[in-house]
Amino acid sequence: MPARVLLQDATGVPAVVDLACMRDAMNKLGGDSNKINPLVPVDLVIDHSVQVDVAGSEDAVQANMELEFQRNKERFAFLKWGSNAFDNMLVVPPGLGIVHQFNLEYLGRVVFNRNGILYPDSVVGTDSHTTMIDGLGVAGWGVGGIEAEAAMLGQPMSMVLPGVVGFKLLGKLRDGVTATDLVLTVTQMLRKHGVVGKFVEFYGEGMGELPLADRATIANMSPDYGATMGFFPVDHLTLQYLQLTGRSDETIAMIESYLRTTKMFVDYNEPQIEKVYSSYLELKLEDVEPCISGPKRPHDRVPLQEMKADWHACLDNRVGFKGFAIPKESQNKVAKFSFHGTPAELRHGDVVIAAITSCTNTSNPSVMLGAAVAAKKACELGLEVKPWIKTSLAPGSGVVTRYLQKSGLQKYLNQLGFHIVGYGCTTCIGNSGDIDESVASAISENDMVAAAVLSGNRNFEGRVHPLTRANYLASPPLVVAYSLAGTVDIDFEKEPIGKGKDGKEIFFRDIWPSSEEVANVVQSSLLPDMFKATYQAITKGNPMWNELSVPSSNLYAWDSTSTYIHEPPYFKDMTMSPPGPHRVKDAYCLLNFGDSITTDHVSPAGSIHKDSPAAKFLLEHGVDRRDFNSYGSRRGNDEVMARGTFANIRLVNKLLEGEVGPKTIHIPTGEKLSVYDAAMRYNTAGQDTIILAGAEYGSGSSRDWAAKGPMMLGIKAVIAKSFEQIHRSNLVGMGIIPLCFKPGDDADTLGLTGHERYTINLPNSVSEIRPGQDVTVATDTSKSFSCTVRFDTEVELAYFNHGGILQYVIRNLIGSKQ
C-alpha cells in the first residue's frame, strides 16, 4: 500500500479519464460513484505539455507557455475539473517544473506523519523515472496508470518478492568526470548484469563521496538499466539535502529520530554490517570516464575517446541498434543548403538539436553549473554555435534559474543559444518542436543521418525527433561541447571543436571545467531560500491556469465531439459477473518483432505523422494539421490513441521483410496495411491476434497506453523472450496474456515466420491457471511449443479473470461495504 501516488499530465490525463469513467460505471451498475476517490495523497504535476516551439530568444518561456495553453486548454481544464471533483488530488499547474524534481525537492516526505502515526514515505508514479526519489531514501517506482488508479482506490499492490542486487561503490570520481558519466556507466553495467524485476541497493565507502543530487541521477535511470528500484538508504547526506531544500529543522529531526529508531538510517561513523544480497556488483568511481550513450539506446555507452571510431562503425554496420548501413561511397556526402540566405552544409553526424533537458540532469546543480562554466569559457574564447543547430535549456524547476542567475553564468548560455525555453519535460519526451524547414529539407532530401545530443535518459528511435536518426545522451556540459563542435564525428582529444576570435584552434580541454571550479560555483550559488521561494509559487498557479473555468459536478459531462477527452469503452458492456479467461484459438500474428521493442514503439508520445491513421481521424474531425499536437497530449482520447498504437515511424516488423515503418501484412490477403487498419480488419472478421517478440519487450516508459492500445486493437497475447516488468504488469491489467518462450527458444529458433495461426491452450477455468505455469501453443503448421504464462501472483490472475484491473476494482468496490 503506497503512501502516495504521483502523476504527470501525459499519463495523468488518461488516469483521470479512467477515474471519471469508473464513476459512470459505478452508477450504471448500481454502486456508489463516490467510492471512486483517492484514499491516499495524489500529486499531479503538469510538465509533459511544453514544447520547444520557440528557442534561442529571451521571450521563449512566455511564447512557449502561450502556445502550450492554446494547444492544451481542453486537457488542462479537464485536469482542473479533476482536482476539484476528486479528494486528495493536488494538481500543480504548467510552467513550474518537472514532476521528479518536484518530488525530490518538495513533495518527498521521507517519513509520513499522519495524525501522529509515523511510517516510511513510499510512492508509485505513472512515470518510469519515479525512481528518482529512491536517491532520497524513499521507496518508489513507476507503474502504469491503471495500476496507479487501483492503488489510489485502496487496492493493495501485489508483487513477487524481488531479488536485491548489492552495488558497491568505492573511491571517488576523477577530476572533470560528471554524474552523467557515472549513471551511464552504471546503466551499462546493470543492463549487462540483468536486473529486470529486481531492486538495486547502493552501498560502500564511495557513498560518502556521492552528493544526493548524484544519487538521484543514478536512481532516476533505474528503468533504463531495467531495475524496479535503484535505492540509496538515508544517511547524513540525505539530511543535509533536506535542509538545503528548505525542509524545516523540526521535520528533519523527526525523520532522523524515526529512522534511527527503526534501524533504517545508515551512519557511516558506525561499523557497517555486511549485508547479504542476491548478487553483487562493484564499481571503483575513479574508473569512470567521460562518455555518452547512443545512438539508439540508453545503455549503449561509448567512452568519449572512442566516439569517433564508434560513429564510423555505426555508419558501416547493418541497420540495428548500432548501425545505419550507409554505403562507403555515401559516408562523406555533403548536403548544401541555404539557411536564411547564409550558405550552409550538413554531413552525416552533424548536430541539429542540442538540448539541456530532462529530469535526470536538470535537478543536479553540478552538471547544470558545469555546463554554464563551459559556456563561459567558450564565449570568452570566441566560440559560437552554428545558427541552424536548435539549442534549448529546459530546467526542472525555477531553482535552476535562480542559481544560474546568481552565479552570473546564464548570460553565457544565452550567448550560445541555450536560452531557457520553459520548465518541463521537453526534448527527452519528444517535445523538441520543429527544426528549421531548410535544415529538415536538407536532411530528408539527402537521406542524412543527423544527430541530436541531449542531457536526457531516453534516445529510442523516433522519440527525440523524426529526423534525428542518431540520438546521444550526454551530460549538460557535453551537450554544450557537441553543440560547439557541430558534429558527433569528432575526436575531442585530437581535433579542435572550433576556432577562437583570433583564429586559434580551440580544443575540448580548453573549455572543460575542473571539478573544483564547478564545486566552488555550486557552493556560492545554491541557497535554501531559492527552494522555498520557488515552491511557494505552487499556490499562486499562473494567470492562464487561474482563468480556466470548469464545472463543479462530480460526474464528468463527456463531449462526444472532443478529440482530446473521450469516454473510453472499457466498461461499456460490463456486468457484475467476471467474464473469465479468453480462449485464444487460431489467432493471426499481427506483428513479429525482434529484441528491445520499447513502449515508444508501441505507443509513441511524439508528433503525429501526416499520413497516419490518427492524422486521418483528426482531419476528418476538423482538426488542422498544425493543431495535431502530439500523441502524448491526445492520451485522453481512446479513438486517437488506438490509431496511434504501433505508429512509430522506426518500427521494424519482420513480416515486412526489411521495410521500416508502422505497417504490417494482413496474413489472409497478403495486403500491406497500417497496423491499425490490419487490426480492424481482423476484428471485423472476428479473428484473434497475437504478437511475437524478442527480449526486453516493453522496455522504456511506463505508459499504460502501450497496453491499452493493443487491447483496443484486439490483441489477446504477446509471446516474447522476456518482458520489462512494468509493461508486463500493464498487459495483465488490460487482460492481455504475457507468455515467455522457454530459455533458448524464440520465434526464429522455433522456425516461426508469423504467417502461422496460433492456439494457446489455457485451462478453461481461471482456478486451474497458476502463476508461472507452462502452456502449449499450437500452430496450424503442426508446430507446437511450450511457453510460460507470466502471471506473477494470484492477484494478477484475478485481474485477468475480471477482464482487467479496473473491472476487478469496480466489482470489489460495489461488493464492499466500506
Side-chain angles (χ1 to χ4, degrees):
M1 295 284 287
R4 57 193 175 92
V5 174
L6 189 69
L7 311 173
Q8 38 90 337
D9 56 300
T11 50
V13 167
V16 178
V17 165
D18 289 351
L19 291 173
C21 193
M22 289 173 80
R23 278 192 172 173
D24 291 343
M26 288 285 282
N27 268 358
K28 290 173 186 173
L29 292 170
D32 178 4
S33 62
N34 287 323
K35 285 188 177 181
I36 305 297
N37 247 326
L39 299 178
V40 297
V42 177
D43 300 302
L44 191 158
V45 180
I46 301 176
D47 69 344
H48 273 54
S49 296
V50 61
Q51 188 165 295
V52 189
D53 294 301
V54 179
S57 70
E58 297 283 356
D59 62 351
V61 173
Q62 184 61 29
N64 287 322
M65 172 72 79
E66 289 173 1
L67 290 166
E68 179 184 1
F69 264 85
Q70 285 175 26
R71 278 192 297 263
N72 297 286
K73 187 175 181 180
E74 188 178 346
R75 294 173 66 241
F76 293 167
F78 176 69
L79 290 176
K80 193 170 183 180
W81 167 82
S83 69
N84 296 328
F86 296 101
D87 297 337
N88 290 323
M89 184 178 287
L90 168 71
V91 175
V92 177
L96 295 176
I98 297 177
V99 60
H100 305 304
Q101 193 159 345
F102 258 84
N103 199 20
L104 193 69
E105 296 175 354
Y106 179 72
L107 296 172
R109 277 79 153 178
V110 184
V111 173
F112 253 81
N113 183 347
R114 191 169 185 175
N115 301 322
I117 303 295
L118 304 184
Y119 54 96
D121 187 5
S122 58
V123 60
V124 293
T126 58
D127 188 292
S128 55
H129 292 105
T130 299
T131 53
M132 190 169 195
I133 200 66
D134 300 337
L136 195 66
V138 174
W141 58 83
V143 295
I146 45 180
E147 201 170 355
E149 292 154 30
M152 290 180 214
L153 300 173
Q155 175 66 30
M157 296 183 66
S158 132
M159 64 189 298
V160 175
L161 191 68
V164 183
V165 178
F167 199 118
K168 192 172 189 178
L169 298 171
L170 301 168
K172 62 183 294 185
L173 294 173
R174 287 183 285 136
D175 185 51
V177 175
T178 68
T180 316
D181 301 322
L182 173 58
V183 72
L184 295 179
T185 303
V186 168
T187 298
Q188 185 184 49
M189 289 177 67
L190 286 168
R191 267 292 172 191
K192 185 177 181 181
H193 187 74
V195 293
V196 172
K198 298 177 183 178
F199 290 172
V200 177
E201 180 170 294
F202 293 90
Y203 71 107
E205 64 187 56
M207 293 279 282
E209 299 292 335
L210 212 57
L212 194 128
D214 291 6
R215 298 177 183 187
T217 297
I218 296 170
N220 176 282
M221 286 191 73
S222 295
D224 305 294
Y225 43 80
T228 301
M229 193 165 68
F231 189 74
F232 290 81
V234 175
D235 61 11
H236 70 286
L237 288 177
T238 315
L239 301 181
Q240 287 176 15
Y241 183 81
L242 293 172
Q243 190 172 38
L244 170 68
T245 50
R247 273 75 162 197
S248 71
D249 292 342
E250 181 185 12
T251 298
I252 296 170
M254 177 272 290
I255 290 169
E256 182 176 9
S257 176
Y258 172 79
L259 293 177
R260 283 186 180 275
T261 302
T262 55
K263 311 298 184 188
M264 288 191 282
F265 187 88
V266 177
D267 190 334
Y268 293 105
N269 294 318
E270 298 175 357
Q272 296 300 299
I273 299 170
E274 193 67 29
K275 298 184 181 72
V276 178
Y277 294 103
S278 308
S279 60
Y280 298 82
L281 279 175
E282 181 176 297
L283 174 64
K284 294 177 181 177
L285 294 177
E286 59 264 29
D287 291 342
V288 177
E289 58 184 320
C291 59
I292 62 177
S293 279
K296 301 180 184 182
R297 295 190 299 185
H299 53 282
D300 289 332
R301 186 183 70 91
V302 186
L304 214 56
Q305 61 183 4
E306 298 173 16
M307 181 56 200
K308 189 178 181 75
D310 191 84
W311 171 251
H312 283 275
C314 286
L315 290 178
D316 289 335
N317 294 344
R318 64 184 181 85
V319 174
F321 300 121
K322 294 288 290 185
F324 299 104
I326 304 299
K328 283 284 188 186
E329 62 273 16
S330 300
Q331 290 184 12
N332 294 319
K333 182 197 291 186
V334 178
K336 296 183 181 295
F337 65 103
S338 174
F339 181 78
H340 301 284
T342 302
E345 53 188 43
L346 282 179
R347 292 175 171 80
H348 292 300
D350 277 5
V351 175
V352 296
I353 291 176
I356 299 174
T357 178
S358 163
C359 52
T360 305
N361 285 291
T362 66
S363 59
N364 192 321
S366 65
V367 291
M368 295 300 285
L369 286 165
V373 174
K376 178 177 184 286
K377 292 187 174 189
C379 290
E380 289 173 345
L381 289 167
L383 293 176
E384 295 180 349
V385 175
K386 293 182 177 70
W388 52 85
I389 297 177
K390 187 171 187 177
T391 47
S392 62
L393 166 59
S397 85
V399 174
V400 179
T401 302
R402 292 174 190 273
Y403 65 64
L404 282 173
Q405 289 175 342
K406 180 169 176 56
S407 69
L409 297 173
Q410 178 66 57
K411 62 184 179 183
Y412 299 108
L413 287 165
N414 290 353
Q415 194 172 324
L416 295 182
F418 289 96
H419 294 79
I420 294 175
V421 295
Y423 300 89
C425 192
T426 55
T427 304
C428 187
I429 190 64
N431 290 353
S432 49
D434 293 333
I435 56 177
D436 190 88
E437 200 172 304
S438 63
V439 180
S441 296
I443 296 169
S444 301
E445 292 168 8
N446 296 279
D447 194 28
M448 305 303 292
V449 182
V453 182
L454 63 151
S455 63
N457 46 50
R458 297 271 162 79
N459 55 344
F460 303 132
E461 294 176 281
R463 179 183 176 107
V464 173
H465 192 282
L467 293 177
T468 56
R469 280 193 272 168
N471 300 281
Y472 286 94
L473 307 181
S475 66
L478 271 178
V479 172
V480 171
Y482 274 107
S483 72
L484 291 163
T487 181
V488 297
D489 184 9
I490 185 172
D491 182 338
F492 277 142
E493 186 65 32
K494 299 175 182 175
E495 299 175 75
I497 57 174
K499 290 188 176 180
K501 48 196 169 188
D502 56 0
K504 181 183 174 184
E505 290 184 338
I506 307 297
F507 287 82
F508 175 78
R509 56 184 171 270
D510 297 324
I511 68 163
W512 198 250
S514 69
S515 299
E516 184 180 3
E517 283 179 286
V518 174
N520 289 338
V521 177
V522 172
Q523 182 70 30
S524 62
S525 304
L526 189 61
L527 304 171
D529 287 348
M530 294 177 176
F531 293 90
K532 292 177 182 176
T534 297
Y535 290 109
Q536 283 171 357
I538 293 175
T539 54
K540 298 177 184 176
N542 67 55
M544 287 178 276
W545 173 264
N546 296 338
E547 288 169 9
L548 287 175
S549 177
V550 298
S552 57
S553 60
N554 282 339
L555 295 177
Y556 188 69
W558 303 99
D559 177 2
S560 60
T561 65
S562 172
T563 56
Y564 275 109
I565 308 297
H566 184 262
E567 183 178 11
Y570 313 138
F571 316 113
K572 188 176 179 183
D573 300 315
M574 183 177 168
T575 66
M576 284 299 292
S577 301
H582 176 85
R583 297 282 295 166
V584 182
K585 184 174 174 59
D586 291 329
Y588 285 100
C589 177
L590 181 64
L591 295 150
N592 183 3
F593 292 130
D595 294 342
S596 295
I597 290 296
T598 71
T599 52
D600 277 272
H601 289 113
V602 183
S603 184
S607 58
I608 298 172
H609 193 275
K610 61 182 176 63
D611 298 322
S612 66
K616 182 181 177 184
F617 173 85
L618 291 171
L619 290 169
E620 288 172 352
H621 285 74
V623 179
D624 290 335
R625 185 181 165 191
R626 67 175 181 274
D627 297 322
F628 279 0
N629 213 335
S630 63
Y631 282 114
S633 69
R634 297 280 178 182
R635 287 182 185 157
N637 188 301
D638 57 283
E639 295 181 316
V640 175
M641 294 308 295
R643 289 164 173 80
T645 303
F646 297 109
N648 189 300
I649 61 171
R650 302 293 179 199
L651 199 69
V652 178
N653 171 15
K654 293 180 185 177
L655 293 178
L656 295 178
E657 299 180 352
E659 186 178 336
V660 176
K663 304 277 187 181
T664 195
I665 300 298
H666 180 251
I667 303 298
T669 62
E671 286 183 72
K672 184 169 70 175
L673 302 170
S674 73
V675 176
Y676 175 79
D677 288 339
M680 292 305 101
R681 191 173 290 188
Y682 285 124
N683 284 352
T684 302
Q687 296 161 335
D688 288 344
T689 53
I690 59 115
I691 288 174
L692 296 175
E696 299 176 357
Y697 183 80
S699 56
S701 300
S702 63
R703 61 191 64 156
D704 54 352
W705 263 110
K708 287 177 176 175
M711 182 275 293
M712 294 192 69
L713 295 188
I715 293 164
K716 304 303 180 188
V718 179
I719 308 174
K721 287 177 70 174
S722 64
F723 293 88
E724 288 289 276
Q725 178 65 14
I726 298 174
H727 185 62
R728 185 207 60 80
S729 177
N730 284 342
L731 291 173
V732 174
M734 292 310 297
I736 296 174
I737 309 168
L739 296 166
C740 274
F741 290 109
K742 287 296 183 179
D745 286 351
D746 59 25
D748 292 338
T749 61
L750 293 169
L752 304 174
T753 64
H755 289 262
E756 306 85 357
R757 299 187 74 171
Y758 298 80
T759 296
I760 299 171
N761 294 311
L762 277 177
N764 291 323
S765 169
V766 74
S767 63
E768 299 174 39
I769 306 175
R770 293 287 176 265
Q773 82 174 66
D774 290 345
V775 298
T776 299
V777 180
T779 71
D780 63 340
T781 58
S782 301
K783 290 178 182 174
S784 64
F785 54 96
S786 181
C787 285
T788 302
V789 181
R790 282 300 313 278
F791 298 132
D792 283 357
T793 64
E794 297 288 345
V795 174
E796 288 190 343
L797 275 172
Y799 297 159
F800 179 65
N801 184 46
H802 280 260
I805 188 171
L806 300 183
Q807 290 83 347
Y808 172 87
V809 170
I810 286 175
R811 291 188 181 103
N812 271 10
L813 286 174
I814 290 176
S816 166
K817 293 180 180 179
Q818 294 182 356

